[in-house]
Amino acid sequence: MASAPPAPRIHWFARLEHRFHVWREVRARKRGRTATVVPFPGYGGPGWVRVVGRVLIVPPQRRGKDGELASIRGWRSFVGIPVSFAKVSVHVGDTVHQVVADRGGVVDAVIHADLDAGWQTFRVSTEEQEPVEATTFVVGESTTFGVVSDVDDTVMVTALPRPFIAFWNSFVLDEHARIPVPGMGVLLDQLLRQHPGAPMVYLSTGAWNIAPTLRRFLSRHLFPAGSMLLTDWGPTHDRWFRSGREHKLTNLRRLADEFPHVRWLLIGDDGQHDEAIYSTFLEEHPESVAGVAIRRLLPAEAVLAGGRTDAEPHGDEDVPWVSAEDGAGLRDRLGDAGILD
């Protein structure tokens, strides 16, 4: 009888990070604090839902006089303590599903659920806490068009590749001071209005920690609601940090497998690796791509971002590939390509 393959050796930095979080968790629980689930907008299809969220021990949040959450600096999004391998209950109607978070407290699981197409709600809870409401977008069987958009420098001006600027935007800058890319909210809203029932997915290499801040930013600047697929900045079992490029490609491939009847409009910018990522995905799944729209960074933004990436060859005439400096320009180009009226 063949023996089972040995378990992969976990990177020493990942083990160190885990021990540090366990130490923080023990201290927090001694002070009487408990864990909670922070759900993120997910997506699903007929008969199933992808549940995403994170189990954290979070400090009390400040509220303004009107009862709304007060504006917070970016670093406060990272002070929550992830609870490793926490058990989470997902309540859909009268059915309760049990899922388990990963080492970083991230919940990413597929459950069986018969929900109608469109935005739906369900509840999640952990450690016998009061369930909190979560949202998901269920893609209908007749849906044939969807939108996947990057976030950094595509809908929000961040100049992320520059290390100091990335630190400033993620940890210091007040969320109200973040600037939307002109015209992008109008473009995304028009795309969804012309394609009723189309899923909207925000795919970013940003950390899950900023998901609540990102959601408030999108709502404040009138971007359409969408599912969020972010990542964990921590180490993996075999490397110091996760690969942002692999994160995006993995999720694009997954969307193609889960929704073979949907063709996606891929929106990104030329300041990171979006063009190369979308080119690779287009080569692998040409039937899953309706078009590619690349936002060109302004000269000052390109300097802060460390320059632009080299343009990718895209000679496939069946898939429109357009570029412009803002949402209005992309809207015109997509109109010329027949994707927008």
Side-chain angles (χ1 to χ4, degrees), residues 31 37 46 116 165 171 246 306-307:
R31 294 198 297 269
V37 184
D116 295 333
I165 301 297
F171 294 98
E246 189 60 32

Side-chain angles (χ1 to χ4, degrees), residues 271-287:
Q272 300 186 53
H273 302 289
D274 289 342
E275 289 188 276
I277 293 169
Y278 293 164
S279 290
T280 299
F281 180 67
L282 177 58
E283 292 175 3
E284 297 175 351
H285 299 276
E287 73 287 348

Side-chain angles (χ1 to χ4, degrees), residues 145-149 187-188 191 263-267 278 288-293 320 322 334 339-340:
F145 180 84
V147 181
V148 173
S149 177
L187 169 63
L188 296 178
L191 283 166
R263 301 185 73 205
W264 299 90
L265 173 64
L266 310 177
I267 304 177
Y278 293 164
S288 295
V289 181
V292 179
V322 303
L334 290 171
I339 294 179
L340 271 176

